[in-house]
Amino acid sequence: MRMLLAVPFLVTFLACGSSKLSRREAEGDIKKDYPVQIVVTIPESASAIKGSAEHARLVALQEAAGKGAFAVTRKVEGDRETFSFKPGASSPKEVRLSPKGYELPAAEAEFVRALRIEYMRDSARVTYQIRLGRPTAWFGLFQTLHPGVRAGETKERHASYRKEGRSWVLQGTDETLKKAR
């Protein structure tokens, strides 16, 4: 009699599949988008009020980027100062033009592991870790703009999943960086 009850239960269990997203499945999906490239963005032109935090950041950027790689010109207009950055004669090959100015590769962010999975009704949120690695010669410039960032440091990111039938589909992550080339 017990065998007769076990067979329908086993068939139902196998037909429905797992109702939970496994950590292994989530890590496999998310890992496909890594490593991502961390870039330093140098504006073509930027303006700030003298004495402001933004002005101090632009002065630090001028000092770090103006060492042969970029030609920097400053123009005072009342209480504002405009900084213009142009690739110099000894500019590296890695400089790429972007809509926000110029980009230089600083490092790569690598996937480490999934930390936790939070389930809602038909969705899940996965918290995972990335590690800042493979710094380039431009990592010091990146640190000028983002003080306190160190190579090897880990950060948390999030991914969202939606359940479709018996499977979980990755909807997206909060990662804003691009896959390394």
Side-chain angles (χ1 to χ4, degrees):
M1 184 67 177
R2 287 185 182 178
M3 187 62 155
L4 290 174
L5 291 175
V7 172
F9 174 76
L10 184 60
V11 169
T12 305
F13 179 75
L14 292 175
C16 292
S18 176
S19 63
K20 299 277 186 182
L21 172 66
S22 74
R23 181 172 289 181
R24 174 189 249 172
E25 183 182 359
E27 286 181 347
D29 288 344
I30 298 167
K31 195 181 284 190
K32 293 175 190 174
D33 294 332
Y34 285 88
V36 293
Q37 194 170 64
I38 298 171
V39 296
V40 178
T41 303
I42 299 173
E44 220 173 323
S45 180
S47 178
I49 297 173
K50 289 182 184 178
S52 68
E54 181 64 20
H55 185 265
R57 189 178 85 76
L58 288 170
V59 170
L61 182 61
Q62 174 202 355
E63 291 171 1
K67 296 177 182 170
F70 284 86
V72 183
T73 57
R74 295 168 72 167
K75 183 179 174 187
V76 177
E77 299 166 345
D79 65 340
R80 297 189 74 81
E81 189 168 10
T82 302
F83 293 76
S84 296
F85 296 87
K86 300 285 182 214
S90 61
S91 173
K93 293 181 281 188
E94 298 99 9
V95 174
R96 292 187 309 246
L97 188 61
S98 77
K100 295 180 181 177
Y102 303 99
E103 290 181 345
L104 289 165
E108 285 186 358
E110 304 159 339
F111 178 82
V112 177
R113 65 188 169 121
L115 297 174
R116 62 186 165 277
I117 302 173
E118 301 164 24
Y119 296 97
M120 279 85 39
R121 282 192 167 165
D122 291 335
S123 63
R125 179 179 172 182
V126 178
T127 302
Y128 62 97
Q129 265 184 342
I130 60 169
R131 177 176 293 117
L132 190 63
R134 297 189 192 136
T136 68
W138 302 105
F139 190 69
L141 183 61
F142 181 76
Q143 287 178 312
T144 300
L145 298 175
H146 306 281
V149 174
R150 296 177 310 277
E153 187 174 59
T154 59
K155 300 279 185 189
E156 287 188 5
R157 296 285 191 264
H158 302 93
S160 57
Y161 276 84
R162 178 176 38 89
K163 188 165 185 174
E164 284 187 2
R166 289 183 275 173
S167 61
W168 290 92
V169 179
L170 177 64
Q171 293 298 295
T173 65
D174 62 1
E175 184 64 74
T176 59
L177 303 171
K178 302 172 192 142
K179 184 155 175 90
R181 293 180 192 172

